[in-house]
Amino acid sequence: MSLYRIFDIAGSAMSAQSVRLNTTASNLANADSVSSSEGDTYKARHPVFAAALDEARQQQAEGAAVKVLGIVESDKPLVAEYNPDHPMANAEGYIFKPNVNVMEEMANMMSASRAYQTNVQVADAAKQMLSRVLTLGQ
């Protein structure tokens, strides 16, 4: 495997973790939103990743990259709260809150941040190795 391929792999992983961080930030930003109907209520979103190993095998290259297949909405039930005095309450007196668990999102954000940081360190280590190889003849 070419040493340059490490940059492609680490770059795809950083891109995937960036998508994960963005969806987590979106979930946290909408965690306290309120709606009067289930259809208008924000639903938590999560990215779906896949290793592009099969693609790499078909191209006879070693190593696999991370691919973002898409972003899916969580199917957890929404939180219905009886609050007839709320201005957004529906005719029955219920308001609907998103199915976002702030603690899970914070843990997800820390995990994504650490994974991103690790991939930066991998790319930096590869860069240092290449620099040292270039100075071998001096």
Side-chain angles (χ1 to χ4, degrees), residues 61-78:
E62 294 181 26
V66 179
K67 191 175 185 181
V68 179
L69 294 180
I71 296 174
V72 297
E73 288 186 343
S74 172
D75 56 354
K76 287 183 184 174
L78 300 173

Side-chain angles (χ1 to χ4, degrees), residues 47-69:
V48 178
F49 299 145
L53 184 60
D54 291 337
E55 244 176 64
R57 284 184 182 155
Q58 289 173 357
Q59 296 172 0
Q60 306 236 342
E62 294 181 26
V66 179
K67 191 175 185 181
V68 179
L69 294 180

Side-chain angles (χ1 to χ4, degrees), residues 6-25:
I6 291 173
F7 295 113
D8 294 338
I9 295 169
S12 71
M14 285 190 282
S15 176
Q17 296 304 327
S18 177
V19 169
R20 187 173 165 201
L21 280 170
N22 283 333
T23 55
T24 300

